Amino acid sequence: MGTAAATGVERPQCVAYHRTVETRRDAMRRPVHSTDAPNAIGPYSQAIRAGGMLYLSGQTPLEPATGERIDGFANQVHRVFLNLRAVAEAAGARLDDAVKVTVYLTDLENFAAFNTIMAQYFREPYPARTTIQVAGLPRGADVEVDAILALPD
């Protein structure tokens, strides 16, 4: 029992079934990429579109053309939101479609300045948000932001 001969199921049919399942999963999870945002610096996608949602990977203040980090906290925050907006737009969405944002700051003393800049990129009702102070971020960044967006119908 359990063998192909005993069950009457040929191995090629099993392989075809698994390919069909993988194809369905791939169709449900589609990567999104924008050349107007920095390339991923690890084994991840800029964003994944799945089930009417868009999951944006964290963006740090890297200049898309050079991959170099932007200096100055305010400049970093603007660059992060410009990068997030570019990836959202590549999926046909806007930052105003965000339902959840997670902010990583290396210094919570920058919390008020961050809020002032974030308000320039979102309209009410603002997304739910979590802000976390971290010991460090990739490439010496002072801020990183990821987001979850509900895609328009």
Side-chain angles (χ1 to χ4, degrees):
M1 293 259 176
T3 65
T7 62
V9 177
E10 297 293 321
R11 184 153 187 81
Q13 290 174 338
C14 292
V15 171
Y17 169 77
H18 288 292
R19 283 190 187 134
T20 301
V21 170
E22 286 177 14
T23 301
R24 286 184 190 147
R25 284 188 185 134
D26 289 345
M28 293 175 6
R29 286 186 46 227
R30 291 179 298 182
V32 174
H33 179 78
S34 172
T35 56
D36 293 326
N39 288 324
I41 57 174
Y44 60 90
S45 299
Q46 288 178 333
I48 292 289
R49 183 183 202 130
M53 304 297 283
L54 182 65
Y55 299 87
L56 296 167
S57 291
Q59 286 288 331
T60 55
L62 301 181
E63 180 64 43
T66 64
E68 296 297 317
R69 189 192 78 231
I70 302 292
D71 289 326
F73 183 76
N75 293 334
Q76 286 192 16
V77 176
H78 284 290
R79 182 76 259 165
V80 164
F81 282 119
L82 292 172
N83 292 345
L84 287 169
R85 179 167 44 190
V87 178
E89 288 175 353
R94 303 175 328 199
L95 286 182
D96 282 331
D97 297 322
V99 294
K100 176 73 167 78
V101 173
T102 305
V103 179
Y104 306 90
L105 298 175
T106 57
D107 187 349
L108 285 178
E109 292 293 321
N110 291 321
F111 187 79
F114 179 87
N115 286 338
T116 299
I117 297 167
M118 180 177 164
Q120 298 171 31
Y121 291 90
F122 294 89
R123 292 178 303 163
E124 290 189 43
Y126 298 119
R129 186 178 100 184
T130 301
T131 303
I132 303 165
Q133 182 171 342
V134 295
L137 290 167
R139 299 206 178 160
D142 295 321
V143 59
E144 180 173 353
V145 179
D146 64 46
I148 301 171
L149 283 61
L151 293 171
D153 293 330

